Amino acid sequence: MAEDSNRLKDIGEALRICVGSADYDLKVLKKQCLIAFVVLVEGESQKYVGCIEIRNEKVVHQARTFCNHSFSGDLEAVFDQWLKKANLQFHGNFF
């Protein structure tokens, strides 16, 4: 989970998504949502590859990659496994 607004800004910049904006800072501070992120580790390098917005502690509102694309391929498969393990629901991406 993103632990502070600096992490949200880093994720937003890396993925070119709005999670780094002040709107998300406020949502997280007000406990309206949680932001989880996906990091790809290759050797000693790490790269943000996904961002997940969770609402009501049980529903994934959005799962996005670079430039707001939806998860696909291996990332989608890992995401599906994580949803089941975390007992979360996902009804598709919303804008």
Side-chain angles (χ1 to χ4, degrees), residues 16-28:
R16 295 188 183 169
I17 57 177
C18 64
V19 77
S21 71
D23 289 342
Y24 276 95
D25 282 354
L26 292 175
K27 284 181 183 181
V28 171

Side-chain angles (χ1 to χ4, degrees), residues 1 34-39 49-55 58-65 69-94:
M1 297 295 168
L34 298 170
I35 303 296
F37 55 93
V38 183
V39 176
V49 294
C51 183
I52 303 163
E53 178 183 350
I54 304 165
R55 293 191 181 176
K58 61 184 175 189
V59 177
V60 172
H61 184 69
Q62 296 187 74
R64 300 290 183 180
T65 63
H69 290 197
S70 297
F71 287 9
S72 62
D74 291 342
L75 182 57
E76 184 177 24
V78 170
F79 175 62
D80 289 342
Q81 290 174 1
W82 177 76
L83 284 171
K84 290 175 188 166
K85 190 173 187 175
N87 198 28
L88 296 170
Q89 299 173 21
F90 181 57
H91 303 291
N93 286 311
F94 299 94

Side-chain angles (χ1 to χ4, degrees), residues 32-50:
Q32 295 173 340
C33 71
L34 298 170
I35 303 296
F37 55 93
V38 183
V39 176
L40 177 64
V41 178
E42 292 181 328
E44 293 188 24
S45 68
Q46 297 182 8
K47 174 182 171 183
Y48 293 113
V49 294

